[in-house]
Amino acid sequence: MFRPWMLLVLLFLSQTVCAIGWPHFFAARATTTTSATLPDLYEASVVELQAGLDAGQFTSVDLIKAYFARIDEVNLKGPQLRAVLEMNPSALAQAAELDKERKLTGKRSMLHGIPILLKDNIGTVASEGMNTTAGSFSLLGSVVPEDAGVVKNLRKAGAIILGKANLSEWAHFRGNIASGWSGRGGQCTNAYFPHADPCGSSSGSGVAASIGLVAVTLGSETDGSITCPSSNNNLVGIKPTVGLTSRAGVVPISDHQDTVGPIVRSVADAAAVLSVIAGKDPNDNFTLAQPSPVPDFTKALNPNALKGKRIGVPRKVFLNDSISGNDPFVNVAFEAALDTIRGLGATVVDPADLPSAEEIAVSNNETFVLDVDFKIQLNAYFAALLKNPSGVRTLAELIAFDNANPALEEPLQFQDQSQLIEAEATTGMNASYFQSLADDKDLGATRGIDAALKEFNLDALILPAPGLTTVPAAIAGYPIVTVPLGFYPENVTIALAGPQTVYPAPGVPFGLSFLGTAFSEFDLIGFAFAYEQKTQTRLARKAFLEAIPKTQLKDILASN
Ligand SMILES: *[C@@H]1O[C@H](CO)[C@@H](O)[C@H](O)[C@H]1NC(C)=O
Ligand SMILES: *[C@@H]1O[C@H](CO)[C@@H](O)[C@H](O)[C@H]1NC(C)=O
Ligand SMILES: *[C@@H]1O[C@H](CO)[C@@H](O)[C@H](O)[C@H]1NC(C)=O
Ligand SMILES: *[C@@H]1O[C@H](CO)[C@@H](O)[C@H](O)[C@H]1NC(C)=O
Ligand SMILES: *[C@@H]1O[C@H](CO)[C@@H](O)[C@H](O)[C@H]1NC(C)=O
Ligand SMILES: *[C@@H]1O[C@H](CO)[C@@H](O)[C@H](O)[C@H]1NC(C)=O
Ligand SMILES: CC(=O)N[C@H]1CO[C@H](CO)[C@@H](O)[C@@H]1O
């Protein structure tokens, strides 16, 4: 399917490419100058940052200044990655308070004084100075009743909200629009190849984490929105079981599938963040069903975790999926990963198919449930706002707002809102809805993931992260932990992903997903950690040179 704009985009891309120079894009392992003792912010882990803060090498104020400067270098300037929508005007003052507290009484948690970037659908109180908009102008200036549940946990733990990340608008529930685009943020792009698809919908969280624009980030997933940006940006993502982390205060798609989780550079950081954000929240009754207490997920970080385990490969989930199943590059890396897992002492059961795989591939139940839920839950979200200057109070008014503001919300090539229109046409929770909801549980869990785990006596399932491999876990509400798997080679054929984005492209990363039953995060984190420690794939390649920010802590300390 060729459209005239594709030619324009190709011309634009080839010009950009020539202007910057091909060789730079492929520079694996560009060197960033760092002082021997200070952590390199491109890769710095929570443990490293915490050690530097505890030792008094630098303060949280220094960290905030450094990350702000790094964002400034690449967000709208240089490669214009458009990963960050807003920076928190209160962050420096909050950091100063937390620095003082650390000196007086020590740190509250592993996240004390650690800057974190939130996907822009995660609510923060307006008094702090930031908007919560899911990327849409229809929510600009809106005032949420309170912080999201996960944000309350983060603040209690002493974390500092650095800002809000760009995303696929409405968490990619608007229509056929390229991943990473929002009305407010424009097109977010990948740091591994100019204009490459960052995937989504947690696009800005992924891109920001990939090059150290912040210590850690949060994303949300309904179907693929943590897994895919983790995959495309060489990162670790945890899509928690629905009900492990609170969705209260998060702009919704569906409470049956939405879940909030970390997108970070290592399994250890992911475990640290999940330990803080997980837990019961009276404002999200799905969380009341989770086992107590919340585990300390950092205790799962065992390099021998795969020894003696049985890991299954549900091949039918990706066999027919043209996005991942037919991709020779991903498949070669995936087969190598299976060898690595065998080498780590696990038995690989291959195939270990989901009995429901063929039915999932043709089912429309998920779309129907999400459409019905989105209309009800988004309307409730609008209704609960204390203020919304746009005047939008319902999904119907949102559709009208977009049409009335084409320059903001429907620029050329980003007009589509077919998903909003499809959801608006639903008529509430009727018998077909409850049937589809039950069918989804049956397909995803009972005759899906749980059936395969039981039939083959497995500890977990493993799949390539790209493509539609997230669907069974999405409709079951089950967890996925994604780690880096590999990178597209230099000679891969570059294809268009959207009007301004390409995929695949040389050097663009892809990931590996571990899946399990409800609340199996502790085990999955262990397996992902063992694989990560053995392979260290993330460190094999860096972003293209222009996308690597230069500011380091030493620059901030020198100007203090
Ligand atoms: C929201 O965005 C607007 C426009 O960029 C800005 O003026 C305002 O300070 C932001 N914050 C709040 C809480 O409205
Ligand atoms: C949560 O509360 C809603 C409305 O009160 C109810 O319909 C739903 O069944 C509850 N869900 C759970 C998981 O308890
Ligand atoms: C894959 O495609 C084949 C041939 O079209 C079909 O028979 C099979 O059911 C499909 N499997 C899945 C899991 O969709
Ligand atoms: C839902 O799934 C069931 C079981 O596979 C199937 O029979 C039914 O046709 C599906 N419904 C829709 C709307 O796709
Ligand atoms: C339920 O509502 C949908 C539209 O949302 C409609 O297509 C379907 O026919 C309805 N089912 C029943 C049993 O009324
Ligand atoms: C890419 O290069 C590899 C080896 O470097 C080669 O095996 C492969 O055939 C090439 N692929 C294409 C599409 O040119
Ligand atoms: C922090 C930042 O750079 N935000 C920008 C995000 O993108 C929008 C649209 O281009 C800008 O207006 C913001 O300044």
Side-chain angles (χ1 to χ4, degrees), residues 174 177-178 181 187 409-416 499-500:
R174 190 181 120 162
I177 290 184
W181 183 88
Q187 180 65 61
E409 286 295 342
E410 295 179 4
L412 201 62
Q413 298 167 341
F414 298 98
Q415 277 107 339
D416 195 64
Q500 300 173 357

Side-chain angles (χ1 to χ4, degrees), residues 66 116 165 201 242 330 338 345 349 375 395 429 433 441 488:
I116 180 161
S201 63
V242 171
V330 175
L338 296 181
V349 181
K375 181 177 179 180
L395 175 54
M429 297 178 170
Y433 167 85
K441 273 286 165 211
Y488 280 101

Side-chain angles (χ1 to χ4, degrees), residues 122 146-153 220-221 240-261 277-291 373 377 477 519:
I122 301 174
E146 54 180 338
D147 277 335
V150 290
V151 174
K152 289 180 187 171
N153 287 359
S220 71
E221 172 153 336
T241 306
V242 171
L244 181 64
T245 54
S246 170
R247 290 82 46 80
V250 178
V251 182
I253 293 176
S254 162
D255 61 4
H256 295 102
Q257 292 189 201
D258 296 349
T259 183
V260 177
I277 62 171
K280 296 184 181 173
D281 179 356
N283 294 332
D284 175 358
N285 64 1
F286 280 65
T287 63
L288 306 180
Q290 71 178 257
D373 282 351
Q377 292 165 29
F519 303 109

Side-chain angles (χ1 to χ4, degrees), residues 472-519:
I475 60 179
Y478 282 4
I480 303 176
V481 178
T482 301
V483 292
L485 170 62
F487 306 86
Y488 280 101
E490 309 307 336
N491 62 357
V492 69
T493 305
I494 299 174
L496 289 172
Q500 300 173 357
T501 48
V502 293
Y503 183 90
V508 170
F510 48 81
L512 176 71
S513 289
F514 291 86
L515 291 80
T517 192
F519 303 109

Side-chain angles (χ1 to χ4, degrees), residues 71 75-76 82 84-87 184-186:
I71 292 167
N75 202 45
L76 298 182
R82 297 187 179 278
V84 180
L85 267 181
E86 291 192 13
M87 305 206 257
R184 285 192 64 216

Side-chain angles (χ1 to χ4, degrees), residues 316-317 319-320 357-359 361-362:
K316 284 183 181 174
V317 173
L319 223 54
N320 289 9
E358 275 92 355
E359 287 174 67
V362 297

Side-chain angles (χ1 to χ4, degrees), residues 510-530:
F510 48 81
L512 176 71
S513 289
F514 291 86
L515 291 80
T517 192
F519 303 109
S520 61
E521 283 83 355
F522 193 90
D523 289 343
L524 299 181
I525 286 169
F527 304 153
F529 181 74

